[in-house]
Amino acid sequence: MDPQGSTLTAMPGAWSTADPSGASWPDNDGELEAIRFVPASPFDPEPYGQLYETVRERIISRRWAHAAVLTDELETAMPSNGADPRSRGFVYRDTKLPTFHITTATRPKWVAKVNLTNARYAGIFAMPERDDRAYLAGCFGIPVDQLEQLMAALPEKGFLWWDQVARTLQPSRLTL
C-alpha cells in the first residue's frame, strides 16, 4: 500500500491497482503474490479501510492462506485524526489471523495509536521532534526519558528495537 505512489514501491510482477475492493484483481488469487495499492485519493481514509477489509475477508474465507500488508506512509493511510475503523480493526481485532502488518512513518504522533500500542516489534530511527518521542513512549508504556537517553546514544546508522512481549528497547545498528 503506497498512498503517494512512489516509484520506489513499484515491484516487478505486482498487480498495481487503485481498486481496494478486489473486484478488478486477477482471478488467480492462489498464484497472485503481490498487489500494489495506490489509492486515487491518498488522503481519503475509506479506500484504506476497504482494502484492509478485503484482505481480512479473503483470509477468513480461506481464499488466501495468509497476507503480509506493507504500508508506506502510515500517517496518510491510518492517521491519528481519522483512520477508517476497518483499518484500525485490522491491526487490533485481527491479530489472530495469519497476517503481518509492516509499516513506515516519518512522524509517529500522526499515526493512529492502535498501530503503536499493538506493535509486536518496532524499529525506531532518530526522531528530532520531542512530541514524537513522547507520543511513542506513551504508546509503548515506557518513560520518555528512557527512550530519549537510548536515542541520544545511538551510533551512526543506529536504531532502537522495541520488543513488546519482552518489554525491551534495545539499541541496534543497521548493517547492509
Side-chain angles (χ1 to χ4, degrees):
M1 189 179 317
D2 185 1
Q4 301 299 325
S6 166
T7 56
L8 296 173
T9 63
M11 298 181 341
W15 178 261
S16 201
T17 184
D19 171 21
S21 73
S24 67
W25 300 356
D27 289 332
N28 62 338
D29 286 337
E31 299 171 23
L32 191 61
E33 291 187 22
I35 298 167
R36 180 175 181 254
F37 175 69
V38 179
S41 178
F43 298 103
D44 179 2
E46 197 279 330
Y48 303 109
Q50 189 173 7
L51 181 76
Y52 282 113
E53 186 65 21
T54 300
V55 171
R56 178 181 191 275
E57 288 171 356
R58 288 178 181 225
I59 295 290
I60 288 174
S61 70
R62 301 188 194 265
R63 188 170 179 182
W64 290 352
H66 52 81
V69 179
L70 287 75
T71 305
D72 194 16
E73 299 143 353
L74 189 62
E75 61 272 24
T76 302
M78 213 178 301
S80 58
N81 66 346
D84 187 286
R86 296 169 295 178
S87 299
R88 289 191 314 267
F90 183 84
V91 174
Y92 180 72
R93 173 195 65 216
D94 296 337
T95 56
K96 295 192 187 307
L97 294 179
T99 59
F100 299 92
H101 196 226
I102 303 166
T103 66
T104 66
T106 55
R107 298 289 309 269
K109 75 174 194 171
W110 294 342
V111 172
K113 194 173 271 193
V114 68
N115 290 284
L116 302 168
T117 58
N118 288 289
R120 172 66 173 89
Y121 299 107
I124 306 155
F125 292 88
M127 291 181 289
E129 302 294 331
R130 187 177 200 306
D131 54 346
D132 281 319
R133 295 188 302 269
Y135 182 76
L136 190 62
C139 289
F140 290 166
I142 61 172
V144 68
D145 292 343
Q146 176 188 0
L147 175 65
E148 289 184 330
Q149 287 171 356
L150 288 168
M151 193 159 282
L154 282 177
E156 183 180 343
K157 297 183 183 177
F159 65 97
L160 298 176
W161 184 252
W162 170 250
D163 182 328
Q164 183 186 57
V165 173
R167 309 274 314 144
T168 57
L169 187 61
Q170 302 286 331
S172 195
R173 190 162 188 271
L174 191 62
T175 54
L176 300 175

